[in-house]
Amino acid sequence: MSRRLRSACAALLGAFSVSGAAAAQTAAEAKVFAESAEAELMRISEYAARAAWVQNTYITDDTNWLAAKANAEMTDASVRYAKGAARFNGVTGIDPVTARKLYLLQQGLVLPASSRPGAAAELAAVSARLETAYSTAKVTIDGKPYALDELEDLLRTERDPAKIRAVWEGWHATAPPMKADYQSLVRLANEGSKELGYADTGALWRSWYDMPPDAFAAKTDALWAQVAPFYRNLHCYVRGRLNLRYGDAVQKKTGPIRADLLGNMWAQQWGEIYDIAAPAPSKGLGAAEKGYDVTALLVEKGYDPDKLVRTGEGFYTSLGFAPLPASFWERSQIVRPAGREVVCHASAWSIDNDQDLRVKMCLRVNETDFGTVHHELGHNFYQRAYANQPFLFRNGANDGFHEAIGDFAALNLTPSYLQQLGLIAQQPGSDADIPLLLRQALDKVAFLPFGLLVDKWRWQVFSGQVTPETYNDAWWKLRTQYQGIVPPGPRSADAFDPGAKFHVAGSTPYTRYFLAHIYQFQFYRAACRQAGWKGPLHRCSIYGNKEIGAKFDAMLKMGQSRPWPEALEAFTGEKDLDASAIAEYFAPLDAWLRVQNRGQICGW
Ligand code: X8Z
Ligand code: ZN
C-alpha cells in the first residue's frame, strides 16, 4: 500500500536499508530514474486516490474491488521503484535532491507486497476486507443496530457502568472475525518487507525517521520515560475520582482502571469524563470548574457541523493562510450520509496532490469533534503548503509532523480564542487554570501511553515475537503495563481486541500520534515565545498572528524535502524531539496532582 493511495492519515515516510549493486550506474542515470519514477507515481497515485475516495465514501463490493485493484497497482509500482532506487545506493556524485528522492523511494510503503505474481492483489484484497469489516460493523442494543460513531457518543455521555460495559463489550465483539485476515496481512506484508531488505514490517516502519531504526525505538522509550511519572499522577488522580463516583465494586482505589470507564472506546483520550474528574469544590477551587462547557456552548450558539469546519478554517486564515477552495466545500464529507456505508474515521485528503483538498468525517457538534476539525484541517493546510514541492517531497517532514499541525492549531482553543469567537463573554480567572489544564491533560497526557503501545504491539506481531495465539494477551499486557488499564471483564478465547481499533484494522501506523503529542507542544511553545507571550503557556493563543503564521507556513512548505530536524529547526530553533515543552505546559497541574494524590498508593 503506498503512502499516496490513502488520506493523510495513512501517509507514510521513512528511511531505508536496502543494499544494491551499484556497479555500472551513474549519477546522471540516477536523476533520470528518480524523475521518471516520480512522474509515474504521481499519475497512478491520483487514480488510486480517487478510487479510494469513492470507496471510503460509498462502500460496496464494487468500490472495494476498484479501490483494491488501484491499491495493488500502486503497491506493485512502488515496490518496483523502491528496488530500482536501491540500485543507485553507493553511486557517487548524485545531486542532493535526487539523492533524497532515491532515499524516499526506497521507504515509501506501509505494507509492501512481494514480487510474487498476485501478492499485491492479495494484500490489497485483505486490507480492503479488514477496513470494510471495521467500518461497517454494527452492535445491536435493545434490538437497534448501532454504528461505531453512535457507540462512541454513548460512551461520552453514559454514566451507568453496566450500560457502559455492554457498549464496550459489544464493540469489541465485532473484531474476532477479522483475526484470520489480520494474520494473512502480517504474513504478506512481511514477505514484501523482507524483499526490500528489512527484517520485518515493523523494522520498515521504524526506519522512517532519518535515523537508525533501533535509535528511533530507543528515542520513543526515552520520551515516554520522561513523561511517565506525570501520567502516573494523572492515572492515580482519575482512578480516585472514578472510585468516588462508582464505588469499590466498579472501580477500586488501587490497581489498574477499568478500560470502559474513561469515556472513550479505547481509553485513549479521557476528556469526555471531565465531569467525573473535575476538581471537587472541597479542594478549595471555588467553582471548581473551568467556567464553561465547550460542547454546551457550541450547541447553545447553534453551531452545526458545517459551521464547525468554517470556524476551524477561520483559525488558519487568521494566520494568513488562504481560504480553502470552493471544491473543498463541494466534495468533502462532513457528516455521515444516509443510506450508504462509509468509512467514518476522520481523514484529510489531497486527491490530486495539489489543490483538490477534502475532509471525510462524520462530525457531531461537541468539543472533541471541534478539536478533530482543527486536526483534519491541519493535514489539508500542510498538503497545500507543500504542493509546490516536487511530488516525492509532497509529504510531512515525518508522519508525526503531519499529525501535529492541526493539534497545534487546536491548542490555541483557549479562553481568549473562544471569547474572540463570541462563544464566551468573559475569560475565566486564574482559578480556572487547574480545571483548564486538567481538561487538556485528560486528552493529551492520557493519550501518550496508548500512542506508544499500539505499534509496540504491532512491532511484536510483525517480528513474530507475538503469535496469533497470543495476539490478545500481548495486547492487554501492553495496555496494562503502559496505560494501567484492564478490560471490564474476562476476554473470550477468540477475542481480537486490537482489531477493534481503526488503525489496526486499517493498517495505519500509530507511533506518529505519539510523536505528534510531543511535537505539538514544541510548536506551540515556540510560537508563543515568538509572539512574546508572558502569561501561563496554556493561556496563549496565536489566533490572528500573521507573523507567526508566515513562519509556520515556511516550515510546512518544506514538506519532506529535508530531514525532519531541519523542518523542526526552521520553526522552533530546536533540532530534536523534546518532552520539556509538554512538561512545561502541564507543570502547574503536575504539582497540583501530587498534592491531591497524597496518601494514595499510586501505580498499578
Ligand atoms: O486517527 C486520528 C485522526 C485522523 S489522522 C482523527 N487520530 C488518532 C485516533 O483517532 O486514534 C487523532 C488522534 C489519534
Ligand atoms: Zn490525522
Side-chain angles (χ1 to χ4, degrees), residues 9 268-269 345-346 375-376 379 403 447 501 503 510 513:
C9 279
Q268 66 183 63
Q269 282 137 334
H345 191 89
H375 176 95
E376 296 307 329
H379 287 306
E403 299 304 336
F447 181 81
K501 176 67 191 161
H503 302 69
Y510 212 80
Y513 302 105

Side-chain angles (χ1 to χ4, degrees), residues 174-185:
T174 64
M178 293 155 58
K179 189 172 162 182
D181 272 337
Y182 196 75
Q183 282 172 244
S184 306
L185 179 135

Side-chain angles (χ1 to χ4, degrees), residues 85-267:
R87 287 181 296 129
F88 297 97
N89 291 344
V91 173
T92 51
I94 297 178
D95 68 272
V97 168
T98 301
R100 179 91 181 146
K101 287 180 181 174
L102 293 171
Y103 172 81
L104 295 173
L105 276 171
Q106 291 179 68
Q107 41 77 1
L109 287 126
V110 176
L111 298 178
S114 81
S115 52
R116 173 173 58 79
E122 214 182 312
L123 182 52
V126 168
S127 301
R129 274 208 301 278
L130 282 166
E131 196 186 60
T132 294
Y134 183 92
S135 296
T136 61
K138 303 283 182 298
V139 175
T140 305
I141 302 173
D142 297 333
K144 182 185 172 298
Y146 285 81
L148 176 59
D149 49 320
E150 296 167 315
L151 299 172
E152 289 188 77
D153 224 28
L154 282 177
L155 282 190
R156 265 193 263 282
T157 49
E158 181 59 64
R159 297 291 178 258
D160 172 344
K163 289 191 182 146
I164 292 171
R165 179 172 171 175
V167 169
W168 190 96
E169 288 180 342
W171 176 248
H172 286 78
T174 64
M178 293 155 58
K179 189 172 162 182
D181 272 337
Y182 196 75
Q183 282 172 244
S184 306
L185 179 135
V186 169
R187 178 178 47 79
L188 290 162
N190 272 342
E191 272 171 30
S193 301
K194 287 192 172 96
E195 253 188 47
L196 291 179
Y198 300 90
D200 61 70
T201 307
L204 166 66
W205 291 12
R206 288 190 298 279
S207 75
W208 291 338
Y209 301 93
D210 297 303
M211 67 176 88
D214 290 349
F216 175 70
K219 190 177 274 293
T220 56
D221 284 340
L223 287 163
W224 169 242
Q226 266 179 280
V227 292
F230 181 27
Y231 175 77
R232 197 166 165 272
N233 291 338
L234 182 68
H235 177 281
C236 191
Y237 169 78
V238 169
R239 186 180 59 192
R241 305 294 297 162
L242 288 168
N243 173 262
L244 271 182
R245 173 69 180 235
Y246 291 119
D248 287 344
V250 173
Q251 178 60 59
K252 292 197 188 62
K253 279 196 197 73
T254 54
I257 296 176
R258 218 179 93 169
D260 57 332
L261 298 178
L262 292 157
N264 174 278
M265 190 64 82
W266 307 276

Side-chain angles (χ1 to χ4, degrees), residues 444-480:
K444 301 293 180 180
V445 179
F447 181 81
L448 292 162
F450 186 72
L452 194 64
L453 76 83
V454 174
D455 280 353
K456 278 195 180 285
W457 179 80
R458 273 192 293 213
W459 294 348
Q460 293 174 2
V461 167
F462 283 128
S463 76
Q465 183 190 332
V466 164
T467 58
E469 298 72 50
T470 55
Y471 275 179
N472 216 52
D473 290 347
W475 174 254
W476 282 106
K477 200 168 164 226
L478 289 165
R479 295 269 267 170
T480 304

